[in-house]
Amino acid sequence: MDHYVRIFDTTLRDGEQSPGATMTSAEKLEVARALAKLGVDVIEAGFPAASPDDLEAVRRIAIEVGNSAHGARTPIVCGLARASRSDIDKAWEAVRPAARPRVHTFLATSEIHMQYKLKMDREQVVDRVVEMVGYARSLCEDVEFSPEDAGRSDPKFLYLVLGEAIKAGATTLNIPDTVGYTTPDEFGALIAGILKHTPGIDNCIVSVHCHDDLGLATANTLAGIHAGARQAEVTVNGIGERAGNTSLEEVVMALHTRRLIYNLTTGIDTTQLVRASKLVSNYTGIVVPPNKAIVGANAFAHEAGIHQDGMLKHQLTYEIMRPEAVGVTRTRLVLGKHSGRHALKARLSELGYTLSGAELDKAFERFKALAEKKKTISDADLEALVADEFYQPREVFTLDGLQVTCGTMGMPTATVRLRAPDGQVHTQAAIGTGPVDATYKAIDVIVQAPNTLLEFSVHSITEGIDALGEVTVRIQGKNGARQLDPQRETEHARTFGGHGADTDIIVASAKAYLAALNRLLIASGKFGEGERSSVSGAKVR
Ligand code: KIV
Ligand code: ZN
């Protein structure tokens, strides 16, 4: 059997489907570029039938990322479609410019989904699968079919449906545990059964797609791979609906670290994992918990004295992976007040950010301002600074100035100065329950984009009182954009994330809120899309 596991990344589809993970088209393109550099085999770029904007975002990825070689390969670009001609037409229209296009269609096969959601019996489901897989195959050479909710479907019925899908032209059969219900033994046995009993399966790739409702997504995915699946559907940081999807970095590093058990390889450049994680976290506003495996801030921190002692004696006493293998750099203190432009450029380039010209000038200006306030600048500070400067949505409103007064005496008051898209500067003062509340109220009066603040979190990038603070917010527009969920066939209000970093956490809070508001405004369509020039320029190595 083949020893290569294909990594199918669905961050831009199943990941983006999760509340708050909304990204602009320019951000999706940037994530797709990072995924290609990471070495994923398939990029599921979106659900083109959701809206003309979604279709266009997938098309841009197909054109720009699906035609450029990364290392030895060009990734397959895939679009999701419900089992209908109109969805399949849209998915095909979006992915066809790619050198290696794929259409992925799905239909539920569990009794509960067939009875209550589809209102179809088994025979009707089989007929629809045959018709739609056949239709997709008439357009595209590479067709993936998923029996949705396979984890709760009757295995015998699955063998039949999958066999018919193969006859109709499916080339990859993906087995989703849609609701994260199965256990590793069960899921491994399901994959083994499918491989054994499905007619024609030998010429197809079997894929696994697990959700993390019971915290078992990675374990189930590995069990499926162990049983013979050769494609894993994953997302960066495990983002996705509810508890999320299987995390790309966990599966890849498990296969990599325990290769004696699995004897399998992937095409992933593991040194890009942390960078991809940061990019996705910055663009979605979904914070990575510090204890998250592989990419969490504490994943390689050895705080406890006993561990440190062991580590000093021999690194492998408590470390099963080298931090460098996933892109964590060990250097802590790198630059200071007297470091020049050249040193900054060199260090940024070592960290994977190729900046020059105006971008480098901007980064150097930010670096100098930070070095005035903070004695030593670590790699983490530099990465936060680059993220804050370059991984932001196109600016509709820009922060031009902020002044707050707060404390135990008097009312917390903020005066905010914003530059509007027409270049006009607006100044507004407001009082609030605290300095952040006052700042947000003043911003609201100027921007006029009614929303609900769903989440606000602050964390410090490094230790110390002079550390950079990073703020992440998530907002939901009150009468704004809605998003179609391909599986539930319902629409929900889109939510938008934003982040900002500064040594002053009120400034970081204002930047984060403005970033989220700018995303909301861009999604409203009133301010166009367009790529912020510096985003495309700040290249991720
Ligand atoms: O979880 C799921 O069932 C899916 C399918 C559309 C593959 O995301
Ligand atoms: Zn899913």
Side-chain angles (χ1 to χ4, degrees), residues 14 209 211 245:
D14 219 343
H209 175 116
H211 281 264
N245 286 65

Side-chain angles (χ1 to χ4, degrees), residues 10 13-14 17 44 148 174 176-179 209-211 233 241-242 244-245 487:
T10 183
R13 198 280 296 171
D14 219 343
Q17 229 167 282
E44 187 163 54
E148 192 192 9
N174 176 47
D177 181 17
T178 305
V179 290
H209 175 116
C210 299
H211 281 264
E233 301 205 353
E241 280 196 282
R242 307 182 311 276
N245 286 65
Q487 291 168 262

Side-chain angles (χ1 to χ4, degrees), residues 28 47-57 90 482 484 494:
K28 289 181 189 171
F47 170 47
S51 71
D53 282 353
D54 285 76
L55 192 152
E56 194 44 39
K90 287 184 181 122
R482 300 186 70 75
L484 175 63
R494 282 192 157 186

Side-chain angles (χ1 to χ4, degrees), residues 89-323:
D89 285 339
K90 287 184 181 122
W92 174 234
E93 185 188 337
V95 297
R96 72 185 297 185
R100 303 171 68 202
R102 175 179 293 183
V103 171
H104 175 191
T105 188
F106 70 96
L107 193 65
T109 49
S110 65
E111 292 303 326
I112 186 165
H113 274 229
M114 289 190 292
Q115 187 178 346
Y116 295 104
K117 184 176 99 162
L118 301 177
K119 301 188 185 352
M120 288 165 86
D121 62 25
R122 287 186 173 202
E123 211 180 307
Q124 288 169 313
V125 165
V126 174
D127 288 349
R128 175 79 69 85
V129 169
V130 170
E131 189 190 341
M132 290 308 143
V133 169
Y135 180 59
R137 185 61 198 263
S138 72
L139 303 171
C140 182
E141 284 281 291
D142 185 349
V143 174
E144 174 167 327
F145 169 69
S146 295
E148 192 192 9
D149 203 16
R152 291 189 298 171
S153 301
D154 169 4
K156 291 207 178 75
F157 181 51
L158 277 181
Y159 309 151
L160 173 79
V161 175
L162 295 173
E164 292 301 317
I166 294 169
K167 276 197 250 157
T171 43
T172 297
L173 296 160
N174 176 47
I175 312 303
D177 181 17
T178 305
V179 290
Y181 179 70
T182 62
T183 64
D185 288 347
E186 228 179 343
F187 195 66
L190 179 66
I191 300 300
I194 286 170
L195 281 164
K196 190 165 172 201
H197 300 292
T198 306
I201 198 90
D202 292 346
N203 300 323
C204 295
I205 297 294
V206 172
S207 167
V208 285
H209 175 116
C210 299
H211 281 264
D212 206 30
D213 299 66
L214 291 173
L216 293 172
T218 298
N220 286 346
T221 297
L222 291 171
I225 291 172
H226 197 56
R230 287 295 174 266
Q231 175 177 285
E233 301 205 353
V234 291
T235 60
V236 174
N237 299 334
I239 65 166
E241 280 196 282
R242 307 182 311 276
N245 286 65
T246 307
S247 133
L248 181 152
E249 56 280 2
E250 290 175 16
V251 170
V252 167
M253 287 315 287
L255 294 177
H256 187 84
T257 308
R258 305 307 310 276
R259 50 173 110 52
L260 290 181
I261 291 192
Y262 292 105
N263 190 23
L264 294 168
T265 57
T266 69
I268 298 296
D269 173 359
T270 62
T271 64
Q272 296 297 314
L273 288 172
V274 166
R275 187 148 311 114
S277 159
K278 284 193 177 136
L279 183 72
V280 169
S281 168
N282 284 331
Y283 281 166
T284 58
I286 298 178
V287 181
V288 176
N291 61 336
K292 166 81 178 65
I294 319 294
V295 292
N298 293 348
F300 291 93
H302 295 274
E303 295 278 350
I306 186 166
H307 288 194
Q308 279 183 0
D309 184 52
M311 290 280 292
L312 290 174
K313 287 180 180 140
H314 195 298
Q315 213 171 302
L316 294 182
T317 45
Y318 284 96
E319 209 169 70
I320 60 162
M321 296 167 270
R322 282 182 308 108

Side-chain angles (χ1 to χ4, degrees), residues 262-500:
Y262 292 105
N263 190 23
L264 294 168
T265 57
T266 69
I268 298 296
D269 173 359
T270 62
T271 64
Q272 296 297 314
L273 288 172
V274 166
R275 187 148 311 114
S277 159
K278 284 193 177 136
L279 183 72
V280 169
S281 168
N282 284 331
Y283 281 166
T284 58
I286 298 178
V287 181
V288 176
N291 61 336
K292 166 81 178 65
I294 319 294
V295 292
N298 293 348
F300 291 93
H302 295 274
E303 295 278 350
I306 186 166
H307 288 194
Q308 279 183 0
D309 184 52
M311 290 280 292
L312 290 174
K313 287 180 180 140
H314 195 298
Q315 213 171 302
L316 294 182
T317 45
Y318 284 96
E319 209 169 70
I320 60 162
M321 296 167 270
R322 282 182 308 108
E324 296 81 4
V326 301
V328 173
T329 41
R330 282 211 194 261
T331 332
R332 293 236 161 205
L333 305 180
V334 280
L335 300 174
K337 197 172 163 175
H338 301 294
S339 309
R341 206 170 176 275
H342 196 73
L344 176 70
K345 183 177 178 177
R347 187 61 202 148
L348 283 174
S349 146
E350 274 162 32
L351 291 171
Y353 304 100
T354 319
L355 302 192
S356 57
E359 288 157 6
L360 183 62
D361 291 345
K362 190 83 205 149
F364 189 57
E365 198 185 299
R366 290 285 308 263
F367 165 75
K368 278 289 179 195
L370 182 61
E372 281 303 322
K373 297 180 188 158
K374 209 173 174 288
K375 265 205 226 118
T376 48
I377 312 281
S378 67
D379 287 346
D381 290 321
L382 286 184
E383 297 211 290
L385 191 148
V386 170
D388 190 56
E389 194 57 45
F390 301 109
Y391 294 165
Q392 292 286 17
R394 187 172 65 77
E395 286 179 315
V396 181
F397 282 88
T398 329
L399 184 66
D400 208 47
L402 172 64
Q403 170 82 51
V404 290
T405 47
C406 60
T408 53
M409 294 185 301
M411 303 281 244
T413 310
T415 307
V416 170
R417 209 169 52 222
L418 298 185
R419 190 172 296 277
D422 58 5
Q424 241 188 304
V425 173
H426 301 257
T427 306
Q428 182 68 43
I431 53 171
T433 52
V436 174
D437 186 44
T439 303
Y440 284 17
K441 283 196 168 118
I443 291 176
D444 282 342
V445 175
I446 302 173
V447 174
Q448 293 287 323
N451 70 85
T452 309
L453 181 65
L454 301 177
E455 202 180 302
F456 173 88
S457 68
V458 190
H459 85 277
S460 75
I461 304 280
T462 46
E463 311 84 17
I465 197 72
D466 59 355
L468 265 184
E470 192 166 49
V471 174
T472 305
V473 302
R474 193 192 315 285
I475 62 172
Q476 187 167 71
K478 284 221 168 106
N479 33 28
R482 300 186 70 75
Q483 186 168 24
L484 175 63
D485 182 320
Q487 291 168 262
R488 285 190 190 76
E489 313 234 357
T490 53
E491 282 196 339
H492 56 252
R494 282 192 157 186
T495 62
F496 302 88
H499 73 97

